[in-house]
Amino acid sequence: ALSYRRVMIPIVLLLLTYMTKILIGIPSMNALPDVLFSKVSIMRLLGFNAYILENGLCRRGEHTRKQGSEPPKPFSPQMLANFVERLSAEEVETFFNNVIHALARFGVFPKKITAILDGSDLETTEKYKGCGRAKRTKKIKGKEVKVEVFGFKIIAIMDLYTQIPLAVKVTKINERESDYTIKLLKQAIKNIEGYAEITHLVFDRGFIDGQDFYAIEQLGIIFIVPAKTNMSVYHDARSIAAAGSGIFEERKDAAVTGVEGLTTLDTYC
C-alpha cells in the first residue's frame, strides 16, 4: 500500500487475512480473535509464523493494557480494519486484476469463455463519503413508487462457468452502466490474456449502445442483448419473423426464429 511508511508485517498477510474473513463468512472484525486468530493451522497456512502467533506482532500499546492481560495475537482486529480503510481504489483494482491473471495462469477458467456483463446497486446512507444518488422504483406496501437511493454501483464482467468476476468497476449509483462497457471488457481480456479468451458476451438492456456493439464486434466477440420494445430494430425483427423470412426452429418449450441482416440500429455502423 502506497500510504504506508513503515511496514512490520508483509502486507500480503493482511490481505489474505481479510480475504479469509470474507470467505469464511465472519460477520465482524471483533469476531476475528475467537473465530479466526485462534485457529493456528489456518493462520500458519496464511503465512504467519509461530513466533507472531505466540507473542503477537509487537509490544506497542503494552503500557496501556491492564497488568497481566495478553497482547492481541497476532494483531488487533482494529489494525486490520485500519489497513483495509487505507487502501486506495487504485491499489484494490491493481490487486484484483493481478489475482485474476494468476487464476487464469493456474488454469481456473475454460479456454473459451462466455462472459456476463451486469451491474448491481450497493446502497448506503446519504452520509456515506463519495456516494451518489439516484431514483429507483420500489415496491412499498404492494405499490410501486419512486424513491431516492444513495450509494454505489458495482459493474462486473463474470465468467458464466466459474461465476468468477474477470473485471470489476465501482462507480456512483447514478452513473450509466454503458459508460464502462468497453473499458471493463478490455480489462477482462487483459486479465486472462494468454490463458483464456472471451468469445461471447451476454448483457441486459442497460448496456444498449450501438457504438459499443461495434467496438465489441471489432474485438471478435459475439454479443447477446435483448432489444428494447421502442427500438426500430425490435419491430423489424418481429415483422421479418412473422412473415416467415427468418430461420425457424422448434424447441421443447418454444418456437424460435432467427433473423439476420438487420440494418435499423443506426449507431451500430
Side-chain angles (χ1 to χ4, degrees):
L2 299 177
S3 60
Y4 282 89
R5 295 181 179 274
R6 183 180 61 156
V7 177
M8 299 181 66
I9 185 173
I11 286 174
V12 67
L13 294 186
L14 298 178
L15 284 169
L16 287 173
T17 301
Y18 186 72
M19 291 168 66
T20 304
K21 171 192 177 296
I22 301 300
L23 185 64
I24 295 177
I26 300 173
S28 69
M29 290 293 186
N30 291 332
L32 284 172
D34 293 332
V35 182
L36 180 59
F37 292 171
S38 60
K39 305 296 188 293
V40 175
S41 58
I42 296 179
M43 296 302 291
R44 295 194 69 169
L45 183 65
L46 294 179
F48 292 92
N49 61 42
Y51 180 84
I52 291 178
L53 293 176
E54 179 66 26
N55 301 285
L57 180 62
C58 67
R59 299 177 64 182
R60 185 177 181 182
E62 185 175 349
H63 65 284
T64 64
R65 287 194 290 271
K66 293 181 180 179
Q67 189 173 1
S69 63
E70 290 286 321
K73 303 173 184 180
F75 47 77
S76 72
Q78 189 59 46
M79 174 188 165
L80 183 60
N82 292 342
F83 165 75
V84 174
E85 185 181 24
R86 289 174 65 175
L87 285 172
S88 69
E90 292 76 17
E91 288 170 327
V92 173
E93 190 172 319
T94 300
F95 175 74
F96 174 85
N97 291 330
N98 287 334
V99 168
I100 297 303
H101 187 73
L103 289 174
R105 186 171 68 245
F106 192 71
V108 168
F109 304 110
K111 294 295 183 183
K112 304 289 184 180
I113 291 177
T114 294
I116 302 169
L117 175 60
D118 196 16
S120 301
D121 288 349
L122 181 62
E123 293 187 22
T124 65
T125 68
E126 60 182 303
K127 295 180 180 179
Y128 201 98
K129 185 179 179 181
C131 72
R133 64 170 65 190
K135 294 285 188 179
R136 292 288 186 267
T137 301
K138 292 192 174 185
K139 268 195 174 183
I140 300 178
K141 295 182 179 179
K143 294 183 178 180
E144 289 191 349
V145 295
K146 286 276 188 180
V147 297
E148 189 173 47
V149 296
F150 301 86
F152 301 88
K153 184 176 292 182
I154 302 173
I155 310 171
I157 292 183
M158 184 184 306
D159 169 36
L160 175 64
Y161 177 73
T162 63
Q163 299 289 295
I164 296 175
L166 305 174
V168 174
K169 181 70 177 177
V170 178
T171 69
K172 293 184 178 181
I173 199 168
N174 53 290
E175 294 195 44
R176 291 177 56 205
E177 296 170 340
S178 58
D179 289 344
Y180 298 93
T181 302
I182 302 304
K183 182 178 179 180
L184 262 178
L185 182 56
K186 288 183 176 179
Q187 184 63 60
I189 292 172
K190 182 180 179 181
N191 288 347
I192 61 174
E193 191 173 19
Y195 306 100
E197 176 188 7
I198 297 175
T199 58
H200 294 74
L201 182 64
V202 182
F203 45 92
D204 63 26
R205 295 175 180 87
F207 294 93
I208 285 183
D209 185 300
Q211 293 182 344
D212 285 349
F213 293 169
Y214 185 72
I216 294 170
E217 186 179 56
Q218 296 304 298
L219 291 170
I221 297 172
I222 297 171
F223 63 87
I224 300 95
V225 59
K228 295 181 180 179
T229 56
N230 63 351
M231 297 173 67
S232 298
V233 69
Y234 169 86
H235 295 287
D236 290 346
R238 290 183 65 89
S239 298
I240 294 171
S245 301
I247 304 166
F248 182 80
E249 180 181 320
E250 286 191 2
R251 299 181 182 175
K252 184 173 65 174
D253 55 353
V256 181
T257 300
V259 177
E260 57 187 3
L262 295 168
T263 58
T264 44
L265 181 56
D266 293 339
T267 56
Y268 183 24
C269 296

